[in-house]
């Protein structure tokens, strides 16, 4: 299938893109687990932030999934994604631990995105979009680190 960017994407680059989509899918599920199993005195405020983060990951998955189609890259199924990455255990966490896990997730996704940004096989438009997503993840990560240090009470 010819992609709309008129650029050939190689096998290794395709795998990196699929790995990113897999990481985002698992990451979104992890974010939802963090949201549902949060124990915090600032529960309502922290729930809003976690819901916003989960929604942002969903937006990334949708955008990058659609772009992948135009590049001729088949999106990984949930089953394939689960084979690629680890999942958080389902357990109650206090705000500090929740934001520490969210910070780790942001950092992990940032580095997965770097694999695509550094791939010259991808059109500049795709790499620029992913760089914007990296900035977004850095902003969440900075907030998460602050929340973890403050025990989740900084809202």
């Amino acid at each position: 299938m010819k992609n709309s960017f008129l650029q050939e994407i190689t096998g290794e680059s395709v795998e990196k893109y699929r790995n990113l989509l897999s990481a985002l899918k698992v990451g979104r599920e992890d974010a939802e687990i963090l949201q549902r199993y949060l124990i915090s005195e600032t529960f309502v405020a922290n729930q809003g932030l976690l819901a916003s983060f989960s929604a942002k990951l969903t937006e990334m998955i949708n955008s990058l999934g659609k772009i992948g189609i135009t590049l001729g890259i088949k999106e990984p199924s949930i089953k394939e994604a689960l084979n690629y990455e680890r999942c958080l255990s389902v357990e109650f966490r206090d705000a500090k631990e929740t934001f520490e896990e969210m910070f780790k997730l942001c950092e992990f996704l940032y580095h997965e995105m770097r694999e695509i940004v550094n791939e010259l096989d991808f059109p500049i438009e795709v790499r620029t979009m992913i760089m914007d997503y990296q900035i977004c993840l850095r902003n969440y990560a900075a907030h998460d680190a602050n929340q973890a240090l403050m025990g989740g009470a900084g809202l």
Side-chain angles (χ1 to χ4, degrees):
M1 178 174 138
K2 194 75 168 165
N3 67 61
S4 66
F5 293 106
L6 302 176
Q7 187 168 337
E8 188 64 34
I9 307 298
T10 65
E12 185 178 324
S13 296
V14 167
E15 197 57 36
K16 287 179 182 181
Y17 199 86
R18 287 175 51 82
N19 286 347
L20 173 57
L21 284 170
S22 291
L24 284 166
K25 285 182 174 193
V26 172
R28 178 187 54 203
E29 295 303 314
D30 284 350
E32 290 176 359
I33 287 169
L34 291 172
Q35 181 185 4
R36 284 192 295 274
Y37 288 87
L38 169 67
I39 301 171
S40 171
E41 293 172 3
T42 56
F43 180 80
V44 174
N46 287 331
Q47 282 286 308
L49 176 70
L50 292 166
S52 165
F53 180 62
S54 182
K56 189 62 175 179
L57 293 179
T58 297
E59 175 191 317
M60 291 178 189
I61 292 164
N62 289 336
S63 295
L64 294 173
K66 290 173 187 173
I67 288 170
I69 291 168
T70 68
L71 295 171
I73 300 172
K74 182 181 172 200
E75 181 178 344
S77 68
I78 292 293
K79 184 176 181 178
E80 290 169 317
L82 290 173
N83 287 332
Y84 173 69
E85 282 309 314
R86 67 167 181 89
C87 294
L88 281 177
S89 61
V90 177
E91 59 189 72
F92 289 103
R93 293 174 175 82
D94 65 17
K96 183 179 186 317
E97 186 180 2
T98 295
F99 285 105
E100 286 172 351
E101 288 295 335
M102 198 168 147
F103 176 83
K104 290 177 197 174
L105 177 58
C106 287
E107 289 295 299
F108 174 73
L109 293 172
Y110 178 91
H111 291 290
E112 285 294 307
M113 289 179 179
R114 188 172 56 192
E115 291 292 318
I116 304 298
V117 169
N118 293 334
E119 275 295 325
L120 296 179
D121 285 352
F122 289 97
I124 190 68
E125 298 88 354
V126 174
R127 292 183 285 146
T128 300
M129 176 188 284
I130 292 173
M131 284 188 267
D132 289 343
Y133 287 153
Q134 285 180 301
I135 292 168
C136 177
L137 288 171
R138 282 291 185 197
N139 289 337
Y140 273 110
H143 183 272
D144 298 338
N146 183 50
Q147 286 296 92
L149 289 172
M150 295 174 62
L155 292 174

